[in-house]
């Protein structure tokens, strides 16, 4: 793992256009992101805002940000607004052929003592994404 970035790759048994749809359509997004469906709004275009409210053990957590780069079915760059500032995240989708897609998720590495927790959270999110994707 880099000291400046967390990178997680996952190969999925679905074509890239389906992976893109599950990542960018509000109904699917709510399911894999763990958000209340009525709280999800995704304006998937450069400069477009996104928001979702996630239920956590500590209560509801509103999340929001802005899409910085959108390359249809290939790449999304978005921010996650945090109290200390916006964190930029990137998802890249690569067509592996035979109806398979590789997703590479990148985010800045948190302080060293929080890296394992951040990596675990990103893996849980991709696990949830893969479950929803398998149901499409």
């Amino acid at each position: 793992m880099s000291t400046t970035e967390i990178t997680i790759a996952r190969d999925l048994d679905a074509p890239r256009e389906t992976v893109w749809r599950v990542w960018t359509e509000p109904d699917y997004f709510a399911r894999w992101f763990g958000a209340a469906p009525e709280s999800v709004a995704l304006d998937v275009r450069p400069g477009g805002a996104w928001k979702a409210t996630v239920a956590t053990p500590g209560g509801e957590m509103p999340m929001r940000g802005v899409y910085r780069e959108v390359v249809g079915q290939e790449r999304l760059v978005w921010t996650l607004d945090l109290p200390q500032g916006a964190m930029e995240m990137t998802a890249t989708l690569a067509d592996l052929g035979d109806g398979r897609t590789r997703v590479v998720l990148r985010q800045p590495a948190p302080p060293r003592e929080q890296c394992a927790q951040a990596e675990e959270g990103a893996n849980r999110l991709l696990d949830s994404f893969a479950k929803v994707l398998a149901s499409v």
Side-chain angles (χ1 to χ4, degrees):
M1 176 171 57
S2 164
T3 59
T4 60
E5 182 178 85
I6 293 174
T7 302
I8 299 172
R10 185 76 56 97
D11 291 351
L12 302 165
D13 290 323
R16 187 165 61 175
E17 56 272 7
T18 303
V19 173
W20 181 264
R21 199 169 85 238
V22 171
W23 199 287
T24 61
E25 289 184 9
D27 291 340
Y28 291 124
F29 182 92
R31 288 174 51 201
W32 66 265
F33 201 69
E38 68 279 359
S39 75
V40 175
L42 308 175
D43 184 4
V44 186
R45 63 183 174 86
W50 72 273
K51 67 178 183 170
T53 300
V54 178
T56 70
E60 291 187 343
M61 180 188 309
M63 303 178 92
R64 64 183 66 241
V66 174
Y67 291 101
R68 292 196 171 155
E69 183 181 342
V70 178
V71 180
Q73 298 184 16
E74 292 181 22
R75 180 177 163 89
L76 282 171
V77 179
W78 68 97
T79 63
L80 172 58
D81 294 345
L82 301 168
Q84 63 270 32
M87 176 174 66
E88 187 173 278
M89 302 182 72
T90 302
T92 305
L93 284 59
D95 184 350
L96 298 175
D98 295 330
R100 298 180 43 130
T101 303
R102 176 170 293 144
V103 173
V104 179
L105 184 62
R106 290 184 170 85
Q107 69 182 62
R112 184 179 218 64
E113 63 276 4
Q114 297 170 0
C115 278
Q117 181 182 12
E119 191 169 342
E120 180 183 327
N123 273 306
R124 274 197 315 263
L125 196 64
L126 286 176
D127 290 345
S128 178
F129 181 85
K131 284 182 187 174
V132 171
L133 184 65
S135 73
V136 174

